[in-house]
Amino acid sequence: NAGVTQTPKFRILKIGQSMTLQCTQDMNHNYMYWYRQDPGMGLKLIYYSVGAGITDKGEVPNGYNVSRSTTEDFPLRLELAAPSQTSVYFCASSSAGGAHNEQFFGPGTRLTVL
Amino acid sequence: AQTVTQSQPEMSVQEAETVTLSCTYDTSESDYYLFWYKQPPSRQMILVIRQEAYKQQNATENRFSVNFQKAAKSFSLKISDSQLGDAAMYFCAYRSENRDDKIIFGKGTRLHILP
């Protein structure tokens, strides 16, 4: 099992550009999450999904969009990149919801917006 | 709103010694979990240990244990017999039992292991 994989590992964007961060998991998990980690801070939840076709906002959803067409994939879309979106982005998955189910994290994508 | 505070930005410990990382939180909820995550230089977040709020017994995972003081809203992590591989950022996190959108992380404590 590869677990949770994310691509790309690094990316530099210009202001106003768009991009999609890819996230795939091979554990057949229903729940998937996107977090951002700003320098010197903990993770903040952007969006999450409880299953294919269902997505919900987290704490910091503005400027992002997600979709969940399959169980395996949960891409995160930035439409108009802004410097405030410079961060490290983590995708995670869990078998079910609830705090008792462990989240498994991907290795992260470091995004810089100039 | 829930908050998680880690008051020690950095700590150092001699190899084979014991170190305790502090975490306090604030909540009005009764059902929740607390976690300690490790983030090594590879950036991958790894779950170290978790504690259910309704359990009085402190969680233990090998060399890692917690001191959970529910009334004081304190959740410290003790690492015994520190090893070089323990060097990392450690994050304390709070999660509501019944809400998937409420996961709060502290700012982290960077732990250095001195050989």
Side-chain angles (χ1 to χ4, degrees):
Chain A
N1 279 355
V4 181
T5 57
Q6 293 182 238
T7 57
K9 286 190 169 60
F10 304 93
R11 183 74 185 267
I12 298 175
L13 283 182
K14 294 183 179 178
I15 295 172
Q17 285 185 321
S18 62
M19 77 164 293
T20 299
L21 281 66
Q22 301 291 346
C23 175
T24 300
Q25 53 89 12
D26 62 359
M27 298 173 281
N28 201 33
H29 283 171
N30 287 319
Y31 280 63
M32 295 187 75
Y33 310 81
W34 273 107
Y35 294 89
R36 60 178 286 173
Q37 184 181 26
D38 298 331
M41 303 292 286
L43 278 65
K44 291 190 176 182
L45 185 64
I46 304 172
Y47 270 97
Y48 69 102
S49 169
V50 303
I54 306 170
T55 62
D56 280 295
K57 295 178 181 179
E59 184 183 358
V60 289
N62 291 344
Y64 306 94
N65 281 301
V66 293
S67 59
R68 185 93 183 273
S69 56
T70 67
T71 299
E72 296 78 20
D73 300 306
F74 189 40
L76 177 71
R77 178 90 178 155
L78 283 72
E79 290 293 348
L80 291 170
S84 62
Q85 293 177 306
T86 294
S87 191
V88 180
Y89 292 84
F90 289 95
C91 179
S93 73
S94 62
S95 58
H100 56 283
N101 288 294
E102 180 179 352
Q103 291 190 5
F104 295 85
F105 285 83
T109 294
R110 183 180 294 278
L111 175 67
T112 301
V113 182
L114 301 174
Chain B
Q2 289 76 18
T3 59
V4 175
T5 302
Q6 293 178 250
S7 58
Q8 306 152 315
E10 289 195 61
M11 292 192 72
S12 297
V13 63
Q14 209 74 35
E15 195 176 1
E17 296 294 309
T18 295
V19 64
T20 298
L21 308 184
S22 301
C23 173
T24 58
Y25 62 96
D26 191 24
T27 184
S28 58
E29 297 177 331
S30 57
D31 297 324
Y32 55 90
Y33 280 61
L34 296 164
F35 305 85
W36 278 99
Y37 282 93
K38 172 185 179 181
Q39 187 179 43
S42 66
R43 290 203 315 243
Q44 190 123 14
M45 297 286 283
I46 303 164
L47 177 64
V48 174
I49 200 166
R50 66 179 147 195
Q51 174 80 41
E52 297 92 327
Y54 65 86
K55 287 188 177 179
Q56 292 187 345
Q57 187 173 4
N58 289 324
T60 299
E61 287 288 340
N62 301 315
R63 296 184 295 107
F64 299 87
S65 61
V66 298
N67 183 5
F68 174 48
Q69 302 288 330
K70 191 171 184 180
K73 295 179 181 172
S74 170
F75 183 61
S76 60
L77 174 69
K78 185 172 85 170
I79 305 174
S80 304
D81 186 25
S82 297
Q83 300 174 0
L84 293 177
D86 295 334
M89 281 290 285
Y90 285 82
F91 291 95
C92 179
Y94 168 103
R95 183 168 180 182
S96 295
E97 168 62 27
N98 298 314
R99 290 189 60 174
D100 290 304
D101 62 340
K102 189 167 286 185
I103 304 169
I104 312 296
F105 283 81
K107 292 185 179 181
T109 296
R110 183 170 299 282
L111 179 63
H112 303 277
I113 310 296
L114 307 174

